[in-house]
Amino acid sequence: MHPLREYPPDEYRLEGRIFRDVLARMLRTFFSDVKLQTGTYRYRGFLWHAYTFGYQTALTTTDAKAAFDDCNDTELYVHDEQFDMLWLCPREITLSDTHPCNDTYIFPATYDWLYITTHENARGVGPFFIRNTSGTQYDG
């Protein structure tokens, strides 16, 4: 395992159109209710506030962590909201290189679930785990 970094190595970083398309799909898949209710995907400045303020539902704390641990996807997208960056990397890099104090959104290419860690985790806010129960992957 390599030393702790604030984000995964650059070789896994996605940019440009791929970056925009993946994030747009994630927003439409996991944040549509907050958008319908408030007119924006970000409530009070953060995506994850959709879950703390009840616009969307999610498993939280130990239930969220357990659900994430049960997922066995080998390659995951990682979006860091503070850095506004996106990576597609092996699970072991996702877990070892993601900064624990940032707002991080982790999900597989199937968009079957989303795991969120927040900068408020130390205060008991998060993590969150959301299943895409509709099975819908919102394209373009």
Side-chain angles (χ1 to χ4, degrees), residues 59-66 115 124-129:
L59 295 175
T60 60
T61 60
T62 56
D63 292 337
K65 179 74 169 99
Y115 182 68
V125 181
F128 301 97
F129 184 88

Side-chain angles (χ1 to χ4, degrees), residues 52-107:
T52 57
F53 288 91
Y55 289 102
Q56 308 263 168
T57 58
L59 295 175
T60 60
T61 60
T62 56
D63 292 337
K65 179 74 169 99
F68 175 67
D69 290 344
D70 284 344
C71 296
N72 59 3
D73 304 84
T74 58
E75 193 170 56
L76 300 169
Y77 286 108
V78 179
H79 171 59
D80 188 302
E81 194 168 12
Q82 277 85 346
F83 292 126
D84 196 27
M85 292 181 179
L86 178 71
W87 302 267
L88 179 60
C89 51
R91 184 180 182 92
E92 62 274 5
I93 289 176
T94 300
L95 300 180
S96 65
D97 286 343
T98 302
H99 195 281
C101 296
N102 287 359
D103 299 329
T104 306
Y105 304 80
I106 301 170
F107 54 100

Side-chain angles (χ1 to χ4, degrees), residues 2 9 11-12 22 30-31 38 68 90 95 101 105 107 115-116:
H2 32 268
E11 66 195 78
Y12 300 105
V22 169
F30 296 104
F31 297 89
T38 69
F68 175 67
L95 300 180
C101 296
Y105 304 80
F107 54 100
Y115 182 68
I116 304 169

